[in-house]
Amino acid sequence: MPTKDNPPSIVSRIGIIGAGVSGLAVAKQLSHYNPIVFEATDSIGGVWRHCSYRCTKLQSQTWNYEFSDFPWPERESKDYPSHAEILEYLHLYAVYFDLFKYVKFNTKVVEIKFVRDKEGFDFGRLPGDHGNPLPERPVWELSVQTNESDAIQKYCFEFVVVCTGKYGDIPLMPTFPCNKGPEVFKGKVLHTIDYCKLDKEATSDLVKGKKVVVVGYKKSAIDLTMECVQANQGPEGQPCTMIIRSLHWTLPHYRMWGIPFFMFYATRSAQFLHHTPNQGLLKSLLCLLLSPLRLVISKFIESYLLWKLPLEKYGLKPEHPFEEDFASCQIAITPESFFNEADKGKIIFKRASKWCFWNGGIEFDDNTKIDADVVLLATGYDGKKKLKTILPEPFSSLLEYPTGIMPLYRGTVHPLIPNMAFVGYVESVSNLYTSEIRSMWLAGLIDKKFNLPSAEKMLSQTMKDMEAMKKSTRFYTRNCITTFGINHNDEICEDLGWHTWRKKNFIKEAFTPYTASDYKKKD
């Protein structure tokens, strides 16, 4: 029986929390260590399984959302893959690389304890270095609950990788004045996390023939609105109202005036338009000289969007440049029929910075009201709170810096948290291969192909990265690397001892997009 003086023995050197996209990528890269993957649900897939709607589709083409060593199978449709197709792709990946044998389903990590010799770790100071990633002694103890039973199982690991992601589990809820919240509303209020748990029949019954209000204007809100519209076709169908606090640019597809979108941001030549951390004097001068071109590109894209989409007609034209939305990962793809439904009167847009409930619906700060039967909150998730519920102090307090972003060196390790990595907390146009290349970097670290710098140097570098992101957009609220992702990947390649230029010739290197296949391991 494990006790404080006799902790549970190590059954695997590495523990992984979460079997979503990032968890699968890490499990594959670290498979030679026979890791244990704890998945709280009964299936792999993460948000694609538990936070998707029937109409949810991928936001990018398949070539930009695939593992480096596992291309998508042939598809008949040229449309963006549905969430069901993505789940099938992830299943095939897990089967092909025999990853299911590492996964313990219905096992929820409820607590993490630091069990390394505390006399050798000063919580009040920066550690001199992170030492050996696998020190051959327990560092973390995970308390795991299986199938919601009262029994707690404990596992010890030398290294833990957190892949729980920022979405799902804990909703980010708006706050209201006293007697102005959902408690006074006679209809139904659901956050997207609860809506996703309903089956097709239940969701249809919830919104069909009802006056539905969707709060939000990002990807999940747009998808949710389309589901409501599809359920309310016909003369008896009610329109769906979207309450929009902040406007952001949306895309109908990835070609602007006939030019592929990747030419503007996803090539090595495009990287010279944007400031990057640690850039030299020459790169700084180039960025300065080319800054007018960056503005021209943003205006060029905006001109197409204003021509293609009725943004001005519905008062949905943002006042800020397109490039700021792209730099902050705020871009969403609008379904082809989205504005067609608005033209039919099936979607109504309402701009409002403040709103609250009354017993019959929603009330705005100008004292106007709208009737509602159902209010759906597409207001996001509290990823930091999700992490803080399992990480112990003082480590949980380190997750949020004054900037609001978790500081991660190479987007993977926290300079002040030993023997732990976080994969899936960096965003880009393709979060799948963004996570995969960090999994490769993590495998290189654990395999001792390189050593980490001191905690001071890692923290300094991470602050520079965050400052570069902050300068690129006023919407700096997430770890988004869309405008300098190639630069980040170059740093990872350098750590791993790889060539940073991955293309076959100069023309392709300069003007074709970087994808996961460019970072396929050669060994």
Side-chain angles (χ1 to χ4, degrees), residues 234-267:
E236 297 181 1
Q238 296 286 341
C240 178
T241 301
M242 294 189 78
I243 296 179
I244 304 170
R245 184 181 66 176
S246 301
L247 289 176
H248 294 285
W249 294 95
T250 60
L251 298 176
H253 48 69
Y254 285 107
R255 293 187 78 86
M256 307 291 119
W257 297 117
I259 300 177
F261 186 81
F262 66 75
M263 291 294 296
F264 304 118
Y265 295 104
T267 65

PDB file of all heavy atoms in Angstrom, residues 234-267:
ATOM      1  N   GLY A 234     -38.087  26.797 -43.535  1.00  0.00           N
ATOM      2  CA  GLY A 234     -39.538  26.719 -43.716  1.00  0.00           C
ATOM      3  C   GLY A 234     -40.242  27.939 -43.135  1.00  0.00           C
ATOM      4  O   GLY A 234     -39.657  28.711 -42.369  1.00  0.00           O
ATOM      5  N   PRO A 235     -41.511  28.100 -43.476  1.00  0.00           N
ATOM      6  CA  PRO A 235     -42.244  29.310 -43.056  1.00  0.00           C
ATOM      7  C   PRO A 235     -42.420  29.437 -41.550  1.00  0.00           C
ATOM      8  O   PRO A 235     -42.586  30.547 -41.040  1.00  0.00           O
ATOM      9  CB  PRO A 235     -43.600  29.148 -43.764  1.00  0.00           C
ATOM     10  CG  PRO A 235     -43.720  27.682 -44.064  1.00  0.00           C
ATOM     11  CD  PRO A 235     -42.339  27.207 -44.301  1.00  0.00           C
ATOM     12  N   GLU A 236     -42.405  28.334 -40.829  1.00  0.00           N
ATOM     13  CA  GLU A 236     -42.601  28.405 -39.380  1.00  0.00           C
ATOM     14  C   GLU A 236     -41.293  28.564 -38.610  1.00  0.00           C
ATOM     15  O   GLU A 236     -41.305  28.717 -37.391  1.00  0.00           O
ATOM     16  CB  GLU A 236     -43.332  27.149 -38.895  1.00  0.00           C
ATOM     17  CG  GLU A 236     -44.739  27.007 -39.466  1.00  0.00           C
ATOM     18  CD  GLU A 236     -45.442  25.773 -38.936  1.00  0.00           C
ATOM     19  OE1 GLU A 236     -44.849  25.051 -38.110  1.00  0.00           O
ATOM     20  OE2 GLU A 236     -46.589  25.535 -39.354  1.00  0.00           O
ATOM     21  N   GLY A 237     -40.182  28.535 -39.325  1.00  0.00           N
ATOM     22  CA  GLY A 237     -38.890  28.650 -38.667  1.00  0.00           C
ATOM     23  C   GLY A 237     -38.617  30.061 -38.166  1.00  0.00           C
ATOM     24  O   GLY A 237     -38.947  31.052 -38.830  1.00  0.00           O
ATOM     25  N   GLN A 238     -38.039  30.156 -36.998  1.00  0.00           N
ATOM     26  CA  GLN A 238     -37.717  31.451 -36.401  1.00  0.00           C
ATOM     27  C   GLN A 238     -36.288  31.865 -36.772  1.00  0.00           C
ATOM     28  O   GLN A 238     -35.407  31.019 -36.948  1.00  0.00           O
ATOM     29  CB  GLN A 238     -37.823  31.365 -34.875  1.00  0.00           C
ATOM     30  CG  GLN A 238     -39.222  31.080 -34.356  1.00  0.00           C
ATOM     31  CD  GLN A 238     -40.120  32.300 -34.469  1.00  0.00           C
ATOM     32  OE1 GLN A 238     -39.656  33.427 -34.597  1.00  0.00           O
ATOM     33  NE2 GLN A 238     -41.429  32.067 -34.423  1.00  0.00           N
ATOM     34  N   PRO A 239     -36.012  33.174 -36.894  1.00  0.00           N
ATOM     35  CA  PRO A 239     -34.637  33.620 -37.152  1.00  0.00           C
ATOM     36  C   PRO A 239     -33.769  33.447 -35.914  1.00  0.00           C
ATOM     37  O   PRO A 239     -34.266  33.366 -34.792  1.00  0.00           O
ATOM     38  CB  PRO A 239     -34.810  35.103 -37.501  1.00  0.00           C
ATOM     39  CG  PRO A 239     -36.080  35.504 -36.820  1.00  0.00           C
ATOM     40  CD  PRO A 239     -36.964  34.294 -36.840  1.00  0.00           C
ATOM     41  N   CYS A 240     -32.484  33.394 -36.143  1.00  0.00           N
ATOM     42  CA  CYS A 240     -31.507  33.287 -35.058  1.00  0.00           C
ATOM     43  C   CYS A 240     -30.786  34.625 -34.932  1.00  0.00           C
ATOM     44  O   CYS A 240     -30.329  35.183 -35.928  1.00  0.00           O
ATOM     45  CB  CYS A 240     -30.510  32.173 -35.352  1.00  0.00           C
ATOM     46  SG  CYS A 240     -29.226  31.974 -34.104  1.00  0.00           S
ATOM     47  N   THR A 241     -30.687  35.134 -33.718  1.00  0.00           N
ATOM     48  CA  THR A 241     -30.013  36.408 -33.471  1.00  0.00           C
ATOM     49  C   THR A 241     -28.616  36.174 -32.909  1.00  0.00           C
ATOM     50  O   THR A 241     -28.445  35.404 -31.964  1.00  0.00           O
ATOM     51  CB  THR A 241     -30.820  37.270 -32.478  1.00  0.00           C
ATOM     52  OG1 THR A 241     -32.124  37.515 -33.006  1.00  0.00           O
ATOM     53  CG2 THR A 241     -30.118  38.611 -32.231  1.00  0.00           C
ATOM     54  N   MET A 242     -27.622  36.824 -33.513  1.00  0.00           N
ATOM     55  CA  MET A 242     -26.255  36.761 -33.011  1.00  0.00           C
ATOM     56  C   MET A 242     -25.937  38.062 -32.267  1.00  0.00           C
ATOM     57  O   MET A 242     -26.065  39.148 -32.836  1.00  0.00           O
ATOM     58  CB  MET A 242     -25.257  36.579 -34.147  1.00  0.00           C
ATOM     59  CG  MET A 242     -25.344  35.259 -34.879  1.00  0.00           C
ATOM     60  SD  MET A 242     -23.936  35.053 -36.032  1.00  0.00           S
ATOM     61  CE  MET A 242     -22.633  34.577 -34.906  1.00  0.00           C
ATOM     62  N   ILE A 243     -25.529  37.945 -31.014  1.00  0.00           N
ATOM     63  CA  ILE A 243     -25.084  39.108 -30.257  1.00  0.00           C
ATOM     64  C   ILE A 243     -23.565  39.192 -30.386  1.00  0.00           C
ATOM     65  O   ILE A 243     -22.849  38.264 -30.004  1.00  0.00           O
ATOM     66  CB  ILE A 243     -25.497  39.008 -28.777  1.00  0.00           C
ATOM     67  CG1 ILE A 243     -27.019  39.018 -28.655  1.00  0.00           C
ATOM     68  CG2 ILE A 243     -24.893  40.162 -27.982  1.00  0.00           C
ATOM     69  CD1 ILE A 243     -27.520  38.908 -27.233  1.00  0.00           C
ATOM     70  N   ILE A 244     -23.094  40.301 -30.925  1.00  0.00           N
ATOM     71  CA  ILE A 244     -21.676  40.446 -31.251  1.00  0.00           C
ATOM     72  C   ILE A 244     -21.088  41.589 -30.434  1.00  0.00           C
ATOM     73  O   ILE A 244     -21.521  42.737 -30.558  1.00  0.00           O
ATOM     74  CB  ILE A 244     -21.497  40.722 -32.754  1.00  0.00           C
ATOM     75  CG1 ILE A 244     -22.168  39.615 -33.579  1.00  0.00           C
ATOM     76  CG2 ILE A 244     -20.012  40.840 -33.102  1.00  0.00           C
ATOM     77  CD1 ILE A 244     -22.252  39.928 -35.056  1.00  0.00           C
ATOM     78  N   ARG A 245     -20.113  41.252 -29.603  1.00  0.00           N
ATOM     79  CA  ARG A 245     -19.448  42.292 -28.815  1.00  0.00           C
ATOM     80  C   ARG A 245     -18.277  42.886 -29.577  1.00  0.00           C
ATOM     81  O   ARG A 245     -18.127  44.099 -29.672  1.00  0.00           O
ATOM     82  CB  ARG A 245     -18.949  41.708 -27.486  1.00  0.00           C
ATOM     83  CG  ARG A 245     -18.325  42.759 -26.576  1.00  0.00           C
ATOM     84  CD  ARG A 245     -17.819  42.143 -25.288  1.00  0.00           C
ATOM     85  NE  ARG A 245     -16.700  41.233 -25.536  1.00  0.00           N
ATOM     86  CZ  ARG A 245     -16.015  40.620 -24.573  1.00  0.00           C
ATOM     87  NH1 ARG A 245     -16.361  40.796 -23.300  1.00  0.00           N
ATOM     88  NH2 ARG A 245     -15.019  39.827 -24.875  1.00  0.00           N
ATOM     89  N   SER A 246     -17.411  42.033 -30.140  1.00  0.00           N
ATOM     90  CA  SER A 246     -16.227  42.492 -30.863  1.00  0.00           C
ATOM     91  C   SER A 246     -16.249  41.948 -32.281  1.00  0.00           C
ATOM     92  O   SER A 246     -16.472  40.758 -32.496  1.00  0.00           O
ATOM     93  CB  SER A 246     -14.943  42.029 -30.157  1.00  0.00           C
ATOM     94  OG  SER A 246     -14.888  42.517 -28.841  1.00  0.00           O
ATOM     95  N   LEU A 247     -16.012  42.822 -33.245  1.00  0.00           N
ATOM     96  CA  LEU A 247     -15.990  42.409 -34.643  1.00  0.00           C
ATOM     97  C   LEU A 247     -14.605  41.904 -35.028  1.00  0.00           C
ATOM     98  O   LEU A 247     -13.589  42.458 -34.602  1.00  0.00           O
ATOM     99  CB  LEU A 247     -16.366  43.585 -35.544  1.00  0.00           C
ATOM    100  CG  LEU A 247     -17.825  44.035 -35.521  1.00  0.00           C
ATOM    101  CD1 LEU A 247     -17.998  45.264 -36.394  1.00  0.00           C
ATOM    102  CD2 LEU A 247     -18.739  42.915 -35.992  1.00  0.00           C
ATOM    103  N   HIS A 248     -14.591  40.848 -35.840  1.00  0.00           N
ATOM    104  CA  HIS A 248     -13.336  40.331 -36.396  1.00  0.00           C
ATOM    105  C   HIS A 248     -13.578  39.960 -37.853  1.00  0.00           C
ATOM    106  O   HIS A 248     -14.704  39.643 -38.258  1.00  0.00           O
ATOM    107  CB  HIS A 248     -12.853  39.117 -35.607  1.00  0.00           C
ATOM    108  CG  HIS A 248     -12.465  39.434 -34.198  1.00  0.00           C
ATOM    109  ND1 HIS A 248     -11.293  40.089 -33.877  1.00  0.00           N
ATOM    110  CD2 HIS A 248     -13.090  39.199 -33.017  1.00  0.00           C
ATOM    111  CE1 HIS A 248     -11.213  40.252 -32.570  1.00  0.00           C
ATOM    112  NE2 HIS A 248     -12.289  39.716 -32.028  1.00  0.00           N
ATOM    113  N   TRP A 249     -12.517  40.016 -38.640  1.00  0.00           N
ATOM    114  CA  TRP A 249     -12.618  39.662 -40.047  1.00  0.00           C
ATOM    115  C   TRP A 249     -12.869  38.160 -40.196  1.00  0.00           C
ATOM    116  O   TRP A 249     -12.319  37.357 -39.454  1.00  0.00           O
ATOM    117  CB  TRP A 249     -11.328  40.025 -40.783  1.00  0.00           C
ATOM    118  CG  TRP A 249     -11.077  41.499 -40.853  1.00  0.00           C
ATOM    119  CD1 TRP A 249     -10.305  42.246 -40.002  1.00  0.00           C
ATOM    120  CD2 TRP A 249     -11.593  42.410 -41.821  1.00  0.00           C
ATOM    121  NE1 TRP A 249     -10.315  43.559 -40.379  1.00  0.00           N
ATOM    122  CE2 TRP A 249     -11.094  43.700 -41.500  1.00  0.00           C
ATOM    123  CE3 TRP A 249     -12.431  42.282 -42.931  1.00  0.00           C
ATOM    124  CZ2 TRP A 249     -11.404  44.821 -42.246  1.00  0.00           C
ATOM    125  CZ3 TRP A 249     -12.727  43.409 -43.680  1.00  0.00           C
ATOM    126  CH2 TRP A 249     -12.232  44.664 -43.344  1.00  0.00           C
ATOM    127  N   THR A 250     -13.702  37.800 -41.147  1.00  0.00           N
ATOM    128  CA  THR A 250     -13.949  36.393 -41.470  1.00  0.00           C
ATOM    129  C   THR A 250     -13.600  36.160 -42.936  1.00  0.00           C
ATOM    130  O   THR A 250     -13.626  37.089 -43.752  1.00  0.00           O
ATOM    131  CB  THR A 250     -15.415  36.001 -41.236  1.00  0.00           C
ATOM    132  OG1 THR A 250     -16.267  36.815 -42.057  1.00  0.00           O
ATOM    133  CG2 THR A 250     -15.805  36.209 -39.771  1.00  0.00           C
ATOM    134  N   LEU A 251     -13.267  34.913 -43.251  1.00  0.00           N
ATOM    135  CA  LEU A 251     -12.885  34.554 -44.614  1.00  0.00           C
ATOM    136  C   LEU A 251     -13.907  33.606 -45.232  1.00  0.00           C
ATOM    137  O   LEU A 251     -14.385  32.695 -44.551  1.00  0.00           O
ATOM    138  CB  LEU A 251     -11.518  33.861 -44.622  1.00  0.00           C
ATOM    139  CG  LEU A 251     -10.293  34.644 -44.131  1.00  0.00           C
ATOM    140  CD1 LEU A 251      -9.076  33.731 -44.136  1.00  0.00           C
ATOM    141  CD2 LEU A 251     -10.046  35.859 -45.000  1.00  0.00           C
ATOM    142  N   PRO A 252     -14.221  33.768 -46.513  1.00  0.00           N
ATOM    143  CA  PRO A 252     -15.086  32.788 -47.186  1.00  0.00           C
ATOM    144  C   PRO A 252     -14.286  31.577 -47.664  1.00  0.00           C
ATOM    145  O   PRO A 252     -14.817  30.482 -47.778  1.00  0.00           O
ATOM    146  CB  PRO A 252     -15.657  33.574 -48.368  1.00  0.00           C
ATOM    147  CG  PRO A 252     -14.607  34.603 -48.677  1.00  0.00           C
ATOM    148  CD  PRO A 252     -13.944  34.939 -47.372  1.00  0.00           C
ATOM    149  N   HIS A 253     -12.993  31.789 -47.948  1.00  0.00           N
ATOM    150  CA  HIS A 253     -12.090  30.733 -48.415  1.00  0.00           C
ATOM    151  C   HIS A 253     -10.675  31.294 -48.395  1.00  0.00           C
ATOM    152  O   HIS A 253     -10.439  32.393 -47.874  1.00  0.00           O
ATOM    153  CB  HIS A 253     -12.479  30.244 -49.820  1.00  0.00           C
ATOM    154  CG  HIS A 253     -12.730  31.361 -50.797  1.00  0.00           C
ATOM    155  ND1 HIS A 253     -11.731  32.181 -51.261  1.00  0.00           N
ATOM    156  CD2 HIS A 253     -13.887  31.813 -51.368  1.00  0.00           C
ATOM    157  CE1 HIS A 253     -12.241  33.079 -52.087  1.00  0.00           C
ATOM    158  NE2 HIS A 253     -13.541  32.886 -52.171  1.00  0.00           N
ATOM    159  N   TYR A 254      -9.728  30.550 -48.984  1.00  0.00           N
ATOM    160  CA  TYR A 254      -8.327  30.937 -48.899  1.00  0.00           C
ATOM    161  C   TYR A 254      -7.738  31.405 -50.234  1.00  0.00           C
ATOM    162  O   TYR A 254      -6.583  31.136 -50.543  1.00  0.00           O
ATOM    163  CB  TYR A 254      -7.498  29.771 -48.346  1.00  0.00           C
ATOM    164  CG  TYR A 254      -7.675  29.558 -46.856  1.00  0.00           C
ATOM    165  CD1 TYR A 254      -8.404  28.469 -46.388  1.00  0.00           C
ATOM    166  CD2 TYR A 254      -7.135  30.447 -45.934  1.00  0.00           C
ATOM    167  CE1 TYR A 254      -8.573  28.267 -45.022  1.00  0.00           C
ATOM    168  CE2 TYR A 254      -7.304  30.260 -44.576  1.00  0.00           C
ATOM    169  CZ  TYR A 254      -8.019  29.182 -44.124  1.00  0.00           C
ATOM    170  OH  TYR A 254      -8.194  28.990 -42.780  1.00  0.00           O
ATOM    171  N   ARG A 255      -8.524  32.144 -51.000  1.00  0.00           N
ATOM    172  CA  ARG A 255      -7.998  32.800 -52.200  1.00  0.00           C
ATOM    173  C   ARG A 255      -8.512  34.230 -52.215  1.00  0.00           C
ATOM    174  O   ARG A 255      -9.715  34.456 -52.150  1.00  0.00           O
ATOM    175  CB  ARG A 255      -8.420  32.071 -53.481  1.00  0.00           C
ATOM    176  CG  ARG A 255      -7.816  30.692 -53.636  1.00  0.00           C
ATOM    177  CD  ARG A 255      -8.129  30.101 -54.996  1.00  0.00           C
ATOM    178  NE  ARG A 255      -7.291  30.664 -56.037  1.00  0.00           N
ATOM    179  CZ  ARG A 255      -6.078  30.211 -56.354  1.00  0.00           C
ATOM    180  NH1 ARG A 255      -5.553  29.183 -55.708  1.00  0.00           N
ATOM    181  NH2 ARG A 255      -5.390  30.768 -57.320  1.00  0.00           N
ATOM    182  N   MET A 256      -7.602  35.202 -52.304  1.00  0.00           N
ATOM    183  CA  MET A 256      -7.966  36.606 -52.307  1.00  0.00           C
ATOM    184  C   MET A 256      -7.661  37.202 -53.680  1.00  0.00           C
ATOM    185  O   MET A 256      -6.481  37.290 -54.066  1.00  0.00           O
ATOM    186  CB  MET A 256      -7.177  37.374 -51.236  1.00  0.00           C
ATOM    187  CG  MET A 256      -7.270  36.783 -49.835  1.00  0.00           C
ATOM    188  SD  MET A 256      -8.907  36.956 -49.095  1.00  0.00           S
ATOM    189  CE  MET A 256      -9.335  35.224 -48.852  1.00  0.00           C
ATOM    190  N   TRP A 257      -8.710  37.575 -54.406  1.00  0.00           N
ATOM    191  CA  TRP A 257      -8.545  38.068 -55.779  1.00  0.00           C
ATOM    192  C   TRP A 257      -7.734  37.084 -56.611  1.00  0.00           C
ATOM    193  O   TRP A 257      -6.890  37.459 -57.433  1.00  0.00           O
ATOM    194  CB  TRP A 257      -7.885  39.450 -55.811  1.00  0.00           C
ATOM    195  CG  TRP A 257      -8.668  40.548 -55.141  1.00  0.00           C
ATOM    196  CD1 TRP A 257      -8.291  41.271 -54.058  1.00  0.00           C
ATOM    197  CD2 TRP A 257      -9.958  41.054 -55.530  1.00  0.00           C
ATOM    198  NE1 TRP A 257      -9.262  42.199 -53.722  1.00  0.00           N
ATOM    199  CE2 TRP A 257     -10.295  42.094 -54.619  1.00  0.00           C
ATOM    200  CE3 TRP A 257     -10.869  40.747 -56.548  1.00  0.00           C
ATOM    201  CZ2 TRP A 257     -11.486  42.809 -54.687  1.00  0.00           C
ATOM    202  CZ3 TRP A 257     -12.064  41.468 -56.615  1.00  0.00           C
ATOM    203  CH2 TRP A 257     -12.363  42.473 -55.704  1.00  0.00           C
ATOM    204  N   GLY A 258      -7.967  35.801 -56.376  1.00  0.00           N
ATOM    205  CA  GLY A 258      -7.307  34.754 -57.149  1.00  0.00           C
ATOM    206  C   GLY A 258      -5.941  34.335 -56.652  1.00  0.00           C
ATOM    207  O   GLY A 258      -5.352  33.392 -57.179  1.00  0.00           O
ATOM    208  N   ILE A 259      -5.405  35.010 -55.649  1.00  0.00           N
ATOM    209  CA  ILE A 259      -4.077  34.684 -55.126  1.00  0.00           C
ATOM    210  C   ILE A 259      -4.220  33.799 -53.895  1.00  0.00           C
ATOM    211  O   ILE A 259      -4.990  34.132 -52.983  1.00  0.00           O
ATOM    212  CB  ILE A 259      -3.300  35.968 -54.759  1.00  0.00           C
ATOM    213  CG1 ILE A 259      -3.135  36.850 -56.000  1.00  0.00           C
ATOM    214  CG2 ILE A 259      -1.930  35.619 -54.168  1.00  0.00           C
ATOM    215  CD1 ILE A 259      -2.455  38.172 -55.712  1.00  0.00           C
ATOM    216  N   PRO A 260      -3.509  32.665 -53.834  1.00  0.00           N
ATOM    217  CA  PRO A 260      -3.600  31.794 -52.653  1.00  0.00           C
ATOM    218  C   PRO A 260      -3.216  32.553 -51.389  1.00  0.00           C
ATOM    219  O   PRO A 260      -2.227  33.298 -51.364  1.00  0.00           O
ATOM    220  CB  PRO A 260      -2.594  30.682 -52.958  1.00  0.00           C
ATOM    221  CG  PRO A 260      -2.445  30.684 -54.438  1.00  0.00           C
ATOM    222  CD  PRO A 260      -2.605  32.108 -54.866  1.00  0.00           C
ATOM    223  N   PHE A 261      -3.978  32.351 -50.349  1.00  0.00           N
ATOM    224  CA  PHE A 261      -3.778  33.083 -49.101  1.00  0.00           C
ATOM    225  C   PHE A 261      -2.399  32.825 -48.505  1.00  0.00           C
ATOM    226  O   PHE A 261      -1.803  33.716 -47.883  1.00  0.00           O
ATOM    227  CB  PHE A 261      -4.875  32.679 -48.104  1.00  0.00           C
ATOM    228  CG  PHE A 261      -4.858  33.461 -46.826  1.00  0.00           C
ATOM    229  CD1 PHE A 261      -5.421  34.714 -46.763  1.00  0.00           C
ATOM    230  CD2 PHE A 261      -4.284  32.934 -45.683  1.00  0.00           C
ATOM    231  CE1 PHE A 261      -5.410  35.450 -45.587  1.00  0.00           C
ATOM    232  CE2 PHE A 261      -4.259  33.653 -44.500  1.00  0.00           C
ATOM    233  CZ  PHE A 261      -4.826  34.919 -44.457  1.00  0.00           C
ATOM    234  N   PHE A 262      -1.869  31.614 -48.694  1.00  0.00           N
ATOM    235  CA  PHE A 262      -0.590  31.290 -48.068  1.00  0.00           C
ATOM    236  C   PHE A 262       0.540  32.195 -48.554  1.00  0.00           C
ATOM    237  O   PHE A 262       1.547  32.373 -47.864  1.00  0.00           O
ATOM    238  CB  PHE A 262      -0.229  29.817 -48.285  1.00  0.00           C
ATOM    239  CG  PHE A 262       0.055  29.429 -49.713  1.00  0.00           C
ATOM    240  CD1 PHE A 262       1.250  29.776 -50.335  1.00  0.00           C
ATOM    241  CD2 PHE A 262      -0.857  28.674 -50.438  1.00  0.00           C
ATOM    242  CE1 PHE A 262       1.526  29.409 -51.642  1.00  0.00           C
ATOM    243  CE2 PHE A 262      -0.592  28.298 -51.747  1.00  0.00           C
ATOM    244  CZ  PHE A 262       0.602  28.671 -52.353  1.00  0.00           C
ATOM    245  N   MET A 263       0.396  32.790 -49.743  1.00  0.00           N
ATOM    246  CA  MET A 263       1.438  33.658 -50.268  1.00  0.00           C
ATOM    247  C   MET A 263       1.670  34.878 -49.382  1.00  0.00           C
ATOM    248  O   MET A 263       2.769  35.435 -49.347  1.00  0.00           O
ATOM    249  CB  MET A 263       1.078  34.117 -51.683  1.00  0.00           C
ATOM    250  CG  MET A 263       1.127  33.024 -52.731  1.00  0.00           C
ATOM    251  SD  MET A 263       2.801  32.385 -53.013  1.00  0.00           S
ATOM    252  CE  MET A 263       3.622  33.827 -53.676  1.00  0.00           C
ATOM    253  N   PHE A 264       0.642  35.273 -48.640  1.00  0.00           N
ATOM    254  CA  PHE A 264       0.751  36.489 -47.838  1.00  0.00           C
ATOM    255  C   PHE A 264       1.426  36.256 -46.482  1.00  0.00           C
ATOM    256  O   PHE A 264       2.038  37.169 -45.926  1.00  0.00           O
ATOM    257  CB  PHE A 264      -0.638  37.077 -47.599  1.00  0.00           C
ATOM    258  CG  PHE A 264      -1.404  37.354 -48.861  1.00  0.00           C
ATOM    259  CD1 PHE A 264      -2.598  36.708 -49.117  1.00  0.00           C
ATOM    260  CD2 PHE A 264      -0.919  38.247 -49.798  1.00  0.00           C
ATOM    261  CE1 PHE A 264      -3.315  36.958 -50.275  1.00  0.00           C
ATOM    262  CE2 PHE A 264      -1.622  38.503 -50.967  1.00  0.00           C
ATOM    263  CZ  PHE A 264      -2.823  37.856 -51.214  1.00  0.00           C
ATOM    264  N   TYR A 265       1.306  35.038 -45.934  1.00  0.00           N
ATOM    265  CA  TYR A 265       1.765  34.836 -44.559  1.00  0.00           C
ATOM    266  C   TYR A 265       2.529  33.537 -44.305  1.00  0.00           C
ATOM    267  O   TYR A 265       3.229  33.438 -43.306  1.00  0.00           O
ATOM    268  CB  TYR A 265       0.565  34.877 -43.597  1.00  0.00           C
ATOM    269  CG  TYR A 265      -0.127  36.207 -43.537  1.00  0.00           C
ATOM    270  CD1 TYR A 265      -1.344  36.409 -44.168  1.00  0.00           C
ATOM    271  CD2 TYR A 265       0.444  37.282 -42.855  1.00  0.00           C
ATOM    272  CE1 TYR A 265      -1.989  37.641 -44.113  1.00  0.00           C
ATOM    273  CE2 TYR A 265      -0.191  38.520 -42.788  1.00  0.00           C
ATOM    274  CZ  TYR A 265      -1.403  38.689 -43.433  1.00  0.00           C
ATOM    275  OH  TYR A 265      -2.033  39.906 -43.379  1.00  0.00           O
ATOM    276  N   ALA A 266       2.387  32.530 -45.162  1.00  0.00           N
ATOM    277  CA  ALA A 266       2.886  31.197 -44.827  1.00  0.00           C
ATOM    278  C   ALA A 266       4.135  30.779 -45.584  1.00  0.00           C
ATOM    279  O   ALA A 266       4.490  29.617 -45.587  1.00  0.00           O
ATOM    280  CB  ALA A 266       1.783  30.154 -45.046  1.00  0.00           C
ATOM    281  N   THR A 267       4.806  31.711 -46.246  1.00  0.00           N
ATOM    282  CA  THR A 267       6.044  31.392 -46.948  1.00  0.00           C
ATOM    283  C   THR A 267       7.230  32.029 -46.226  1.00  0.00           C
ATOM    284  O   THR A 267       7.071  32.968 -45.446  1.00  0.00           O
ATOM    285  CB  THR A 267       6.006  31.903 -48.402  1.00  0.00           C
ATOM    286  OG1 THR A 267       5.947  33.340 -48.387  1.00  0.00           O
ATOM    287  CG2 THR A 267       4.793  31.348 -49.138  1.00  0.00           C
TER     288      THR A 267
END
